Amino acid sequence: MDFKERHFSIDPGKGKKMDGCPYSTFEDGRDVEDYIIPPKGYVFVGFKFDPEANNQIYDGKLIAEYEKESFIEVLRSNLWKFLLAIGIIVIIAVVAILAANVFKEPQPAKPIPNEPKNEVLASPSDTTEKPVEISVDNTNASVEKSVQETVEAEQPNPETPQPTNDPSAQFKQEFWNLIHQRTLMMDSYHDLFFNNKGQVSGEEYDYLRLTILQNTSAFKEWSGKLRKVPASEIEKIETIDDLVKKLKEYN
């Protein structure tokens, strides 16, 4: 029995077909399915056979048919886009939180409540007054000695450093303590600045604000120079001009 190969033309319908798409030798078009490009949002489901009785070249035409793509299929095909968008959002959120923590003003420390002093109550047996014997000859001498000791106790010792209430002086002392100790942590300078913001002035305050804490990159460059200066040399510096000159030597 003779077998005659059949030929069917391909019609992509709403979609497209790739260049070089051949005719099909099967009525269901199984050999050309990979050449069909469905329109966006649709999936290819098969061919519809059209006999085309008047066509003398082909034995019929296969018309591609499509169905609307389901939500699950859309999600599956675009899953990497959703994951990428979520990852970008998470990274932005983390960076924003870290930036907020770096530039957030430190909270003032809560005062520690004073502990109540324990008062020792005398027992009834102690309330009995005991007779005090005072020598007549030594009474005046004892009184004068007591008054002299009281006056001396009230007078400050010139050798003992007295605390100062000047915020600028206290700020200056804390600033140079950080420099002499070669402190390389930006938080220490940041806390010193905000704890004295709007309360002090002077070269140290301006240098801290405009040079040391200008930005993160500037602090890294400045602290790198400070790290190179030997401790024996940095401890002798007491002015901003001397500090600037010393850092230039180790630039």
Side-chain angles (χ1 to χ4, degrees):
M1 181 177 178
D2 295 335
F3 174 76
K4 180 181 178 181
E5 184 179 80
R6 305 173 69 189
H7 300 153
F8 301 95
S9 63
I10 306 300
D11 185 346
K14 295 181 179 180
K16 297 180 181 180
K17 60 181 179 180
M18 297 181 183
D19 295 338
C21 176
Y23 58 78
S24 175
T25 58
F26 297 92
E27 190 172 320
D28 59 1
R30 73 187 74 166
D31 54 345
V32 294
E33 290 180 350
D34 294 337
Y35 290 89
I36 301 301
I37 303 174
K40 187 175 182 180
Y42 290 82
V43 292
F44 172 74
V45 295
F47 290 101
K48 176 183 177 182
F49 174 65
D50 182 1
E52 282 193 337
N54 297 328
N55 194 329
Q56 298 179 357
I57 299 176
Y58 294 101
D59 298 305
K61 179 170 62 174
L62 302 180
I63 304 174
E65 295 185 319
Y66 311 92
E67 287 184 356
K68 191 73 175 179
E69 192 173 14
S70 65
F71 175 77
I72 296 178
E73 291 297 329
V74 174
L75 182 62
R76 183 181 303 170
S77 60
N78 295 280
L79 182 60
W80 67 273
K81 295 181 182 179
F82 290 110
L83 294 177
L84 180 60
I86 293 174
I88 294 175
I89 293 174
V90 171
I91 292 174
I92 294 175
V94 171
V95 172
I97 293 173
L98 293 177
N101 289 334
V102 169
F103 295 100
K104 181 175 65 176
E105 294 188 7
Q107 297 296 329
K110 295 182 179 180
I112 301 176
N114 295 328
E115 297 182 356
K117 297 181 178 180
N118 296 327
E119 296 183 358
V120 180
L121 300 178
S123 61
S125 60
D126 295 335
T127 58
T128 305
E129 296 183 359
K130 297 181 180 180
V132 179
E133 296 181 358
I134 301 176
S135 176
V136 177
D137 297 337
N138 297 330
T139 299
N140 294 334
S142 299
V143 172
E144 292 177 358
K145 182 177 180 181
S146 176
V147 172
Q148 183 179 359
E149 291 177 352
T150 303
V151 173
E152 292 178 353
E154 292 178 353
Q155 293 179 351
N157 188 348
E159 298 180 357
T160 303
Q162 299 300 316
T164 177
N165 293 325
D166 184 4
S168 297
Q170 185 176 357
F171 166 80
K172 184 176 180 181
Q173 181 179 358
E174 294 179 3
F175 173 84
W176 286 112
N177 285 342
L178 294 177
I179 299 299
H180 293 159
Q181 295 169 7
R182 291 196 303 176
T183 303
L184 303 177
M185 295 180 60
M186 189 175 183
D187 289 345
S188 300
Y189 297 93
H190 184 272
D191 293 343
L192 178 62
F193 171 73
F194 277 100
N195 289 340
N196 294 274
K197 186 177 180 180
Q199 302 178 18
V200 301
S201 61
E203 293 183 349
E204 287 79 2
Y205 181 79
D206 293 338
Y207 186 79
L208 174 64
R209 176 171 60 93
L210 300 176
T211 301
I212 299 178
L213 296 179
Q214 180 182 4
N215 52 51
T216 304
S217 300
F219 179 79
K220 290 182 179 180
E221 181 180 357
W222 178 85
S223 60
K225 298 176 182 178
L226 182 65
R227 184 188 294 110
K228 298 177 182 179
V229 182
S232 58
E233 297 182 16
I234 203 69
E235 291 176 353
K236 300 177 181 178
I237 298 176
E238 297 293 343
T239 65
I240 296 298
D241 290 340
D242 291 342
L243 176 61
V244 172
K245 293 178 182 179
K246 182 59 65 175
L247 294 180
K248 285 184 178 180
E249 294 179 6
Y250 292 88
N251 189 355

